[in-house]
Amino acid sequence: MLAKRIIPCLDIKDGKTVKGINFVNFRNAGDPVELGAAYSRDGADELVYLDITASHEGRKTFTELVRKVAENINIPFTVGGGIHELRDVERLLNAGADKVSVNSAALRNPKLIGEIARHFGSQVCVVAIDANQENGDWICYLNGGRIPTEKRLFSWAKEAEEEGAGEILFTSMTHDGVKEGYANEALARLADELHIPVIASGGAGKWEHFRDAFTEGKADAALAASVFHFGEIKIEDLKLYLRQEGINVRL
């Protein structure tokens, strides 16, 4: 069985790592290159860097920062935010990223997923989905959680897989930053309905939440931010705990 992955997520705004609650109220969490290097040393399996205002502000993602990160870490990392065309993907991969994450652009143009998969391989294309639970349904949002769409979580995830996505990164806006656990019921349904890996995001507050994401939520990877950034959970300790709980992780 493939090892479950632990993935710190670094949301980047104005060149700094930030963390919010329910996609608002951001506070500074440190230098993205230094943080990434520390996570690489501490046993993270991968990293995700998201330029959280690139789509909203109409900018391209931070190529120079990607280059610096690549020089300072030795684990795979994914970059997202403001990716609209193949040239954006090529630029980021050339700067050292291993994968790209597309969200708003893919919602607006699902064919972009297939273009990325054909040119660079499906393993390069992570489709990120920001969804909020509203009246029993999961509504997908554009532009960093600012604009609701007609898309629904499960049908959109399936469509993304069919277009060529290599992974789905599902962030529950409902659970984001509140540290009460992941959206395990939705995660489990995604895992059952898809044939590609699902990354859980939004809601980690303690060790047990990661365990539950893997057992109840059937996730392939668990992504978190504030609990790592502010030293509440050490990755090495978390992995030892997960191993004791019978979950296959790389130590």
Side-chain angles (χ1 to χ4, degrees), residues 1-76:
M1 186 169 56
L2 286 175
K4 303 293 189 181
R5 291 170 286 151
I6 299 297
I7 306 176
C9 179
L10 296 91
D11 289 341
I12 309 301
K13 188 172 187 285
D14 302 324
K16 301 222 170 35
T17 312
V18 298
K19 183 61 193 128
I21 297 175
N22 302 130
F23 282 44
V24 293
N25 300 325
F26 295 105
R27 59 175 170 151
N28 189 10
D31 179 82
V33 178
E34 291 175 8
L35 267 178
Y39 290 141
S40 181
R41 292 191 300 270
D42 292 346
D45 296 295
E46 298 181 19
L47 298 174
V48 171
Y49 283 86
L50 298 177
D51 188 338
I52 60 171
T53 57
S55 290
H56 178 60
E57 295 172 2
R59 287 184 294 100
K60 300 294 187 182
T61 309
F62 37 49
T63 313
E64 199 50 49
L65 177 61
V66 171
R67 197 168 281 117
K68 288 177 184 171
V69 170
E71 290 169 357
N72 284 275
I73 71 170
N74 56 11
I75 56 175

Side-chain angles (χ1 to χ4, degrees), residues 27-161:
R27 59 175 170 151
N28 189 10
D31 179 82
V33 178
E34 291 175 8
L35 267 178
Y39 290 141
S40 181
R41 292 191 300 270
D42 292 346
D45 296 295
E46 298 181 19
L47 298 174
V48 171
Y49 283 86
L50 298 177
D51 188 338
I52 60 171
T53 57
S55 290
H56 178 60
E57 295 172 2
R59 287 184 294 100
K60 300 294 187 182
T61 309
F62 37 49
T63 313
E64 199 50 49
L65 177 61
V66 171
R67 197 168 281 117
K68 288 177 184 171
V69 170
E71 290 169 357
N72 284 275
I73 71 170
N74 56 11
I75 56 175
F77 71 104
T78 300
V79 177
I83 295 168
H84 300 288
E85 55 188 355
L86 290 180
R87 280 182 297 181
D88 297 330
V89 179
E90 187 170 27
R91 175 169 47 81
L92 294 166
L93 295 179
N94 287 341
D98 298 275
K99 309 176 196 177
V100 296
S101 167
V102 289
N103 188 336
S104 299
L107 279 164
R108 292 189 173 104
N109 174 24
K111 297 302 177 193
L112 176 64
I113 300 167
E115 291 174 11
I116 295 171
R118 283 191 299 275
H119 280 81
F120 305 105
S122 60
Q123 78 283 352
V124 163
C125 186
V126 179
V127 172
I129 302 176
D130 298 332
N132 198 44
Q133 195 169 24
E134 301 169 18
N135 301 317
D137 210 350
W138 285 95
I139 313 297
C140 299
Y141 274 70
L142 288 164
N143 289 27
R146 291 176 179 83
I147 304 171
T149 71
E150 297 296 315
K151 299 279 192 183
R152 299 297 182 261
L153 170 62
F154 303 108
S155 58
W156 170 232
K158 192 70 181 167
E159 182 181 348
E161 178 183 44

